[in-house]
Amino acid sequence: WQDEFEGGALDLNQWEYEESTRPAGADWPAHIVSRDQVRLDGKGHRIISYDVRDNAKRTGKIATRAYFPHGYFEARIKFSNQPGWWAAFWLYTQPGGPFSNFNTMEIDGFEDYTRKVNPSDLIVDHVIHTGWPNIAYRKSWSRSVRVGSWDEFHTLGIKYLPTGITYYMDGVEFARYDASRYVFADHLLKVYLSGQLGSCLLYTSDAA
């Protein structure tokens, strides 16, 4: 399965928009998630934007209609160089079912919430969350990788297998989590491409 985002409209047989109002959280202000903030430019690019209308901050998010089992997931992405912008490529399933403590799984291919002021801010994070929101069972692991330039496209990859999770940047492995050492929930996951507003103070210029 793949989508090159050709043409002028999102393929709604493969994708769905999220439309919601998000209250303020610890690391982001209140904002509206709107389909109006997602568009195709006719050149094979899907663009998520931010603006303020009617005194409301607005961003966009799309997700695949299908859930996927284990496999390799990849997206070619150009990061924003604007402080306060928090974009992500991620896999996720909603909690639920009789064992909901273990039924949440989130695998973030990247999140770009650094200040983007100094050269040392040129990093993105990947994060794995499992067991949320239950405090007793939830676990998270993360690592940062440096980005050569915000002005170029980069290819992010996630290999999600029963044996573990591996991350790639431009074809180079930069993180691996083996199932023999880390306990993951095992789920069918949707693919998300999203943008939101985030604290640009989550990382300072001395971030690793």
Side-chain angles (χ1 to χ4, degrees):
W1 178 87
Q2 68 182 42
D3 190 349
E4 301 297 334
F5 295 117
E6 297 173 340
L10 195 67
D11 183 351
L12 296 182
N13 292 317
Q14 300 193 79
W15 298 93
E16 58 188 2
Y17 293 98
E18 177 176 314
E19 297 191 272
S20 62
T21 300
R22 296 202 64 187
D27 300 315
W28 59 82
H31 61 278
I32 294 172
V33 181
S34 170
R35 65 187 297 160
D36 295 340
Q37 303 305 124
V38 182
R39 64 181 177 86
L40 272 60
D41 68 355
K43 300 177 182 179
H45 304 130
R46 187 268 312 142
I47 297 172
I48 294 179
S49 60
Y50 156 76
D51 69 14
V52 178
R53 282 181 284 124
D54 301 323
N55 295 318
K57 300 177 176 69
R58 299 173 184 267
T59 64
K61 178 192 295 184
I62 59 173
T64 55
R65 291 191 177 275
Y67 286 86
F68 296 93
H70 301 105
Y72 178 74
F73 305 86
E74 183 178 275
R76 183 171 176 265
I77 294 168
K78 184 176 181 181
F79 306 117
S80 169
N81 58 11
Q82 297 299 311
W85 181 240
W86 184 348
F89 156 52
W90 46 303
L91 314 178
Y92 183 69
T93 186
Q94 293 281 356
F99 304 104
S100 60
N101 288 338
F102 301 99
N103 278 4
T104 305
M105 185 71 174
E106 179 179 331
I107 307 172
D108 297 321
F110 88 92
E111 296 181 277
D112 66 339
Y113 39 48
T114 61
R115 294 189 307 168
K116 303 171 186 169
V117 175
N118 301 313
S120 56
D121 294 331
L122 296 178
I123 61 172
V124 295
D125 268 10
H126 79 263
V127 186
I128 301 171
H129 299 296
T130 187
W132 288 71
N134 189 286
I135 295 175
Y137 295 100
R138 68 189 185 190
K139 299 289 184 182
S140 295
W141 303 278
S142 66
R143 195 172 302 173
S144 301
V145 61
R146 293 205 174 275
V147 178
S149 171
W150 293 121
D151 298 321
E152 300 175 357
F153 280 89
H154 298 276
T155 301
L156 285 299
I158 306 168
K159 185 185 291 183
Y160 171 46
L161 301 176
T163 54
I165 299 170
T166 307
Y167 289 89
Y168 301 87
M169 167 79 79
D170 296 327
V172 178
E173 177 184 323
F174 71 86
R176 178 188 293 262
Y177 296 85
D178 294 326
S180 61
R181 296 181 58 194
Y182 299 89
V183 179
F184 307 123
D186 190 9
H187 298 296
L188 298 173
L189 303 173
K190 287 190 171 189
V191 178
Y192 286 80
L193 296 167
S194 62
Q196 74 172 39
L197 308 177
S199 171
C200 57
L201 300 179
L202 287 174
Y203 279 92
T204 59
S205 59
D206 58 354

